[in-house]
Amino acid sequence: MSLGPGGGSVTGTWTGAVEHSRAVDRCWRLLADLVSTHPVAGAPGQRDALRHAEAALRAAGARAARVSRSRAALRLHPDHVDVAAFGAPFEDYWRRGPLESVVAEETFGDGGPTVLINAHLDVDVVSDPAGWARPGSWRTPYEVDGRMYGRGTSDALGGVASVVAALEIALPALRDAGHGRLLVQLVLDEEIGGNGTVSLLDGLGVPPDVAVVVEPSGGVVGTTTRGFEQLTVVLHGRPRHMVASSFEDNAVNGLPVLLDVLGGLDAELRGGTGHAVVLPGRVEAGEDASLPAARAVCEVTLALPAGVSSDDVQRRLEARLAERLSPWRPALSRSGIRIPAGGEVRGADAWAERFVASAARVGVRSRPGEFPSACDARLLSLRGIPTLVTGPGDLGRAHGTDEFVERAEVDRHARALAAFLVDTLTRRAPR
């Protein structure tokens, strides 16, 4: 298969190795530039990241442009996420300037399917800057043994870089022999609910035949995603002089029991997947170390697989709290974010197999499966668009200290995505 500049064949073996290597070199430099902007929500670096991404798409041969939507208009969209409700530091979210994205559109000949590629430019906050092996490396990327370290390298700036490389490799072949339409979206706000993708939904026109959402998938081509929901459990004690208090008077003493309950429920729900479903992420209790705590609060996030009802999980949790924590009068309520899971759309399996086959033809191994987290894919799959989630990196590195992506992972994903684009946009779409 020749997918380098000047190549248009969709059969045979991989050639154009020099052109391919140069494309990956350029996207690797782009990755370093993007990490250096530190495009966390609301930061000035997001504007720099948009500028770098637009320039890189154009250098790859795509007709890229910056688009924006006012937050007032976005707030009227039925799928918007009320980020301001998350509290500080997002209270001014709706008063900020327009939400920007970088988009590109290419049409190749008559007929053929429409393929959408979506990736996000924003990164998660750095919650433990002192924990990084090199001080400040979360925004000053460095490379060791083919790995680039920095916030967002795995989630998902490495994916943005691989998209740019894939386009540079594939576009000449598509312009020579392609049929159909290619849409590219590089968005913000994925890490805080997905409003960047929401802002572009109304402009899609005819729904794409397939969407590829780029996230760190660890070699999996996901056809379903998880939903996120947050719960708050409050345990109640009885403040009194410490020497006269009982075990049950102190709400803190109920926390180990609560954590055991949550751990048991998580073990049941995760089954053989190995991916967490119930996460107690924040605990606070008491106001004075010399008094039994009147309250202990535990905030819990559920990462619910498609088909698992949040109402059912809440009922099961309520029953166990009543059984094991009655001395602390537990109260359970929904709080914080609520993001639905992205269920599998009819035809998604066929598209996943197509992607796996295209990847295999250029020497990249992958497999269909679940993407075990929430992401913007749900916004597309809930509209009936078959949506795949795949990209370089791994969720196990995302959002933590010393996050990294391997150059080899970016290389493999660029090759696989380029092959999928050429195979898909020079043939009839599967039905």
Side-chain angles (χ1 to χ4, degrees):
M1 178 184 290
S2 177
L3 296 177
S9 171
V10 292
T11 61
T13 58
W14 182 271
T15 59
V18 173
E19 293 86 350
H20 166 78
S21 178
R22 288 173 178 168
V24 175
D25 285 343
R26 284 187 283 271
C27 86
W28 196 241
R29 292 193 294 270
L30 168 65
L31 175 58
D33 289 339
L34 291 173
V35 174
S36 297
T37 69
H38 193 50
V40 71
Q46 291 197 330
R47 188 173 293 109
D48 295 328
L50 290 164
R51 176 174 52 82
H52 282 303
E54 181 182 10
L57 284 177
R58 289 183 174 179
R63 298 177 179 90
R66 197 105 50 100
V67 298
S68 64
R69 186 169 187 183
S70 76
R71 293 182 193 260
L74 176 62
R75 199 171 187 178
L76 298 175
H77 197 286
D79 293 316
H80 82 273
V81 176
D82 188 8
V83 177
F86 297 170
F90 303 112
E91 292 165 342
D92 66 340
Y93 179 83
W94 296 114
R95 298 191 298 275
R96 297 174 186 173
L99 185 57
E100 293 188 278
S101 307
V102 176
V103 300
E105 180 173 347
E106 303 283 339
T107 301
F108 313 103
D110 297 328
T114 295
V115 179
L116 168 65
I117 301 173
N118 174 289
H120 67 91
L121 288 162
D122 60 315
V123 302
D124 195 47
V125 297
V126 177
S127 56
D128 183 18
W132 288 65
R134 291 193 183 184
S137 59
W138 44 273
R139 72 167 305 154
T140 307
Y142 67 96
E143 185 178 354
V144 175
D145 296 331
R147 294 177 172 180
M148 187 178 296
Y149 291 82
R151 171 58 83 234
T153 48
S154 196
D155 185 15
L157 300 179
V160 172
S162 73
V163 168
V164 172
L167 292 176
E168 183 171 346
I169 296 165
L171 279 174
L174 293 174
R175 290 190 175 126
D176 180 55
H179 295 278
R181 189 167 63 123
L182 173 63
L183 307 174
V184 180
Q185 301 175 339
L186 303 181
V187 303
L188 298 173
D189 282 15
E190 189 277 342
E191 294 289 359
I192 53 174
N195 281 338
T197 295
V198 170
S199 73
L200 300 176
L201 290 174
D202 293 341
L204 285 177
V206 177
D209 293 271
V210 62
V212 179
V213 173
V214 181
E215 292 282 359
S217 67
V220 170
V221 182
T223 55
T224 61
T225 64
R226 294 197 177 189
F228 275 6
E229 182 159 336
Q230 291 182 321
L231 306 174
T232 297
V233 181
V234 179
L235 306 180
H236 297 89
R238 297 176 179 84
R240 58 199 314 181
H241 196 289
M242 60 177 290
V243 299
S245 65
S246 68
F247 186 82
E248 291 82 6
D249 286 336
N250 192 348
V252 169
N253 292 331
L255 287 173
V257 184
L258 172 60
L259 295 176
D260 186 61
V261 168
L262 295 172
L265 184 58
D266 175 64
E268 291 178 17
L269 291 172
R270 72 165 65 194
T273 68
H275 300 298
V277 177
V278 181
L279 174 70
R282 182 173 177 271
V283 173
E284 64 177 26
E287 297 180 1
D288 186 332
S290 67
L291 291 174
R295 284 163 46 95
V297 180
C298 181
E299 295 178 358
V300 182
T301 297
L302 306 177
L304 297 172
V308 175
S309 163
S310 62
D311 291 337
D312 177 62
V313 172
Q314 185 168 346
R315 283 192 294 270
R316 291 165 68 177
L317 181 55
E318 284 176 333
R320 297 179 192 198
L321 294 177
E323 177 184 357
R324 296 192 55 192
L325 286 116
S326 58
W328 293 281
R329 307 184 306 285
L332 177 65
S333 62
R334 285 193 170 103
S335 59
I337 61 172
R338 190 176 190 184
I339 297 174
E344 187 170 304
V345 176
R346 181 180 178 184
D349 281 342
W351 282 110
E353 294 295 345
R354 168 73 64 88
F355 192 102
V356 169
S358 294
R361 281 196 287 277
V362 293
V364 178
R365 297 178 62 181
S366 56
R367 65 189 188 282
E370 178 205 32
F371 181 70
S373 184
C375 69
D376 286 0
R378 78 185 190 282
L379 295 164
L380 303 168
S381 62
L382 291 173
R383 279 165 176 72
I385 300 170
T387 303
L388 311 179
V389 183
T390 179
D394 192 280
L395 276 176
R397 307 173 205 150
H399 300 186
T401 56
D402 297 326
E403 181 182 353
F404 71 88
V405 71
E406 296 179 357
R407 179 189 171 103
E409 293 171 327
V410 174
D411 184 346
R412 288 193 296 268
H413 187 258
R415 280 190 284 149
L417 181 57
F420 175 73
L421 291 175
V422 171
D423 285 354
T424 300
L425 291 169
T426 55
R427 303 175 180 176
R428 293 186 60 190
R431 300 293 181 187

